[in-house]
Amino acid sequence: MELKKSLKLEVLGLLLLNVFVLSMARNTLPSINWVLKETKYTRLCSSKKILTVNGLFPGPTLYVRKGDRLIVNVQNQGRYNVTIHWHGVKQPRNPWSDGPNYVTQCPIKPGANFSYEVIFSTEEGTLWWHAHSDWSRATVHGPIVVYPSVGKSYPFAKPHAEFPIVLASWFKGDVMKIIQSALVSGGETNKSDALTINGQPGDLYNCSKPGTFKIMVNQGKRYLLRVINSIMNEEVFFAVAQHDLTVVGMDGAYIKPINTHYILITPGQTMDILITANQSPSHYYMAARASAGVVYDNTTTTAIVKYIGNYTAPSTPVFPSHLPNYTDVNAVTNFTNRIRALASKDYPIDVPKKVDTRLFITISVGAIPCPNDSCAGPNGSRLAASLNNVSFEEPTVDLLQAYYRKIGGIFTTDFPNVPPYFFNFTADEMPDNVLIPSKGTKVKVLEFNSSVEIVFQGTNILSAAENHPMHLHGFSFYHIGSGFGNFNNKTDPKGYNLVDPPEINTVGVPKNGWATIRFRADNPGVWFMHCHLERHSSWGMDMAFIVKNGTTTLTSMRRPPRHLNPC
């Protein structure tokens, strides 16, 4: 019986992959050339050189259609090693072009180049790309717009126009030196000096008003905002003064429309938002500010929605009165609990009902003792983040090459299914034995086409509870449930949404709470999973899955490209 079922799943996977291959053969786009280089930018009253793609901050927008295939040639003329990740693009059978540093490739060194083959499949809506090496993504990032296939349309009325809205961080210092210094000292990283919208901090920061980003709208028309949170360490609330928002998509998939005054968007997430210019002609602020239990960069970035026409402009644009305060936990929950997949005939979902592999993963920020208490972390220790008490160590050879070429000694396959200790994860006081994580390069091996459930459990170790945006490469997953406190495996699964859970690639695990996801491991290769708060990922809040090959060529990982960068 199990063999029959397995063969059916193989055949189904084979058929789907054949569809993708045929689609890609019809939709190969002209290749694109990108140059990574240092470019001078002035923000917040001072100038510095930042790493950019083709001199742009944010970087260029990629426009594709569902199922397209694209080659991006990247030449590194900067000072640091760099890789590029195509966030939310599943890359079927093609982990070689996924991008995370020392996970699926060795970095593109200064003076070197690499050609990425970006393969789109089921994604539709807004995604993004970014550097995936140290903190270079602070300035190396940009939108990906995935339009419907030729002859298809949106599941909503076509907007009059659309605008990418890229939320980001600005540091007065050199971001690479900031993280390198913090990793040497073992202490906290510097917070950003501003948040930005499309590269501009906005009116509320010094020396910033002339450059504030503006969108021009016609009264009565409807517009699509493609909002991307590329901020380094803050999830944010976003709102437009006196204009309601209708959220229709998230992470490259459609959702049931949500009418709201604001959104909550974590680093890594994207949202497609309809807005109608139905107010009196004037100037209105769109604004974003952090939502965090732990105060980090709690400044406010703004842009302006400017109506076209003849009227007396206000001395100051109207500010959004519904933008929640950064401490408003209820505003977070009230928004996120409303997100549901569209799950229509034209946009079906397929939530695994049977689970083959279950993981219960604790998310923690702990500390490792230093000799003579010589580090800059708590009590002279070194900050270290972990998943199931394992703090990820970056290998010297990328995991994908080590797996494919059977190079020993690079990783182990013993990432634990459960944490080593069970305790009151969200208590104010913690036992001493849970504060210190182990270090290692551990992966979890999954059978091809197996169904996987992960319960992420936040912890209050070092009183550092935050909302953790957990991102999985190579897949979209279904977010079937979440809640506060410690996960109860008897009662909490009864509340799972298996009917229309959102299909996303980045999930916000609530502060001192839990979130459950499910996905089918139908994409062979090595795939990274990590917190998208950059400082947490730098401290080791990462792991990787190895998804084994199926039994056919089209259910197996592709061969590596001819050129791979040396380590």
Side-chain angles (χ1 to χ4, degrees), residues 488-507:
N488 186 312
N489 62 5
K490 299 291 185 186
T491 59
D492 285 329
K494 295 176 181 178
Y496 283 170
N497 173 16
L498 302 178
V499 177
D500 57 357
E503 186 178 5
I504 56 179
N505 59 61
T506 305
V507 63

Side-chain angles (χ1 to χ4, degrees), residues 34-200:
W34 282 0
V35 177
L36 285 157
K37 61 183 180 180
E38 301 281 334
T39 307
K40 185 178 179 180
Y41 271 76
T42 301
R43 298 287 186 273
L44 306 180
C45 317
S46 62
S47 300
K48 68 168 185 172
K49 286 189 174 181
I50 62 172
L51 188 63
T52 64
V53 169
N54 296 350
L56 301 174
F57 171 66
T61 301
L62 294 178
Y63 294 96
V64 301
R65 288 192 179 274
K66 184 177 181 178
D68 279 354
R69 172 182 174 272
L70 178 66
I71 303 293
V72 182
N73 304 309
V74 178
Q75 183 181 6
N76 184 6
Q77 295 181 3
R79 295 179 292 138
Y80 299 103
N81 294 343
V82 179
T83 62
I84 304 292
H85 170 54
W86 319 94
H87 187 113
V89 182
K90 298 181 186 71
Q91 294 276 29
R93 304 174 49 231
N94 186 36
W96 303 102
S97 285
D98 188 49
N101 199 37
Y102 289 107
V103 176
T104 61
Q105 72 173 101
C106 293
I108 310 170
K109 296 176 181 178
N113 59 72
F114 184 73
S115 293
Y116 289 93
E117 182 181 12
V118 189
I119 301 173
F120 295 86
S121 53
T122 60
E123 308 89 357
E124 188 173 328
T126 305
L127 300 171
W128 63 301
W129 59 267
H130 61 81
H132 212 303
S133 40
D134 297 310
W135 277 29
S136 48
R137 83 163 177 88
T139 57
V140 180
H141 58 254
I144 301 176
V145 175
V146 186
Y147 291 116
S149 305
V150 175
K152 301 290 185 180
S153 60
Y154 299 124
F156 47 83
K158 185 178 179 181
H160 179 69
E162 59 183 57
F163 302 97
I165 302 295
V166 182
L167 309 174
S169 306
W170 182 266
F171 296 80
K172 287 185 177 181
D174 183 318
V175 291
M176 298 297 277
K177 290 180 180 177
I178 287 171
I179 183 56
Q180 288 169 359
S181 174
L183 292 177
V184 168
S185 72
E188 260 285 11
T189 60
N190 291 354
K191 69 178 183 179
S192 56
D193 295 288
L195 304 178
T196 62
I197 295 177
N198 288 357
Q200 295 289 345

Side-chain angles (χ1 to χ4, degrees), residues 474-489:
F475 300 90
S476 290
F477 51 74
Y478 295 102
H479 177 204
I480 62 172
S482 58
F484 291 103
N486 298 322
F487 177 76
N488 186 312
N489 62 5

Side-chain angles (χ1 to χ4, degrees), residues 272-327:
D272 296 324
I273 300 171
L274 295 172
I275 179 173
T276 302
N278 56 8
Q279 297 301 302
S280 301
S282 189
H283 296 181
Y284 300 88
Y285 275 134
M286 66 171 66
R289 66 177 167 216
S291 159
V294 177
V295 178
Y296 218 58
D297 184 344
N298 62 353
T299 59
T300 302
T301 180
T302 57
I304 297 173
V305 177
K306 185 177 179 181
Y307 278 65
I308 297 169
N310 295 317
Y311 57 89
T312 302
S315 56
T316 302
V318 182
F319 190 83
S321 60
H322 293 290
L323 187 68
N325 187 273
Y326 76 93
T327 58

Side-chain angles (χ1 to χ4, degrees), residues 215-229:
I215 63 172
M216 308 295 290
V217 299
N218 286 293
Q219 190 177 34
K221 298 293 186 181
R222 187 155 70 156
Y223 298 86
L224 177 62
L225 305 182
R226 298 182 178 273
V227 182
I228 299 162
N229 187 345

Side-chain angles (χ1 to χ4, degrees), residues 6 208 283 294 334 346 416 418-419 435 442 499:
S6 176
S208 300
H283 296 181
V294 177
N334 291 342
D346 292 330
V418 295
L435 300 179
K442 298 177 185 288
V499 177

Side-chain angles (χ1 to χ4, degrees), residues 273-434:
I273 300 171
L274 295 172
I275 179 173
T276 302
N278 56 8
Q279 297 301 302
S280 301
S282 189
H283 296 181
Y284 300 88
Y285 275 134
M286 66 171 66
R289 66 177 167 216
S291 159
V294 177
V295 178
Y296 218 58
D297 184 344
N298 62 353
T299 59
T300 302
T301 180
T302 57
I304 297 173
V305 177
K306 185 177 179 181
Y307 278 65
I308 297 169
N310 295 317
Y311 57 89
T312 302
S315 56
T316 302
V318 182
F319 190 83
S321 60
H322 293 290
L323 187 68
N325 187 273
Y326 76 93
T327 58
D328 194 341
V329 176
N330 289 334
V332 175
T333 307
N334 291 342
F335 175 75
T336 56
N337 283 353
R338 298 174 65 191
I339 301 171
R340 297 283 187 273
L342 185 56
S344 66
K345 180 182 176 183
D346 292 330
Y347 301 94
I349 61 173
D350 183 19
V351 187
K353 301 299 194 297
K354 174 182 171 291
V355 175
D356 300 312
T357 301
R358 297 181 190 273
L359 292 95
F360 181 85
I361 298 180
T362 51
I363 306 172
S364 306
V365 176
I368 294 174
C370 291
N372 302 316
D373 299 332
S374 56
C375 294
N379 301 314
S381 65
R382 173 179 298 280
L383 287 167
S386 65
L387 298 174
N388 272 355
N389 214 45
V390 179
S391 187
F392 184 79
E393 282 192 308
E394 197 172 77
T396 54
V397 175
D398 67 273
L399 299 179
L400 180 56
Q401 280 200 75
Y403 168 60
Y404 187 81
R405 304 191 192 285
K406 298 179 171 60
I407 303 172
I410 303 300
F411 64 87
T412 60
T413 58
D414 57 345
F415 182 84
N417 287 359
V418 295
Y421 311 106
F422 278 80
F423 53 97
N424 184 353
F425 301 113
T426 57
D428 292 333
E429 299 291 333
M430 293 286 165
D432 291 340
N433 63 339
V434 304

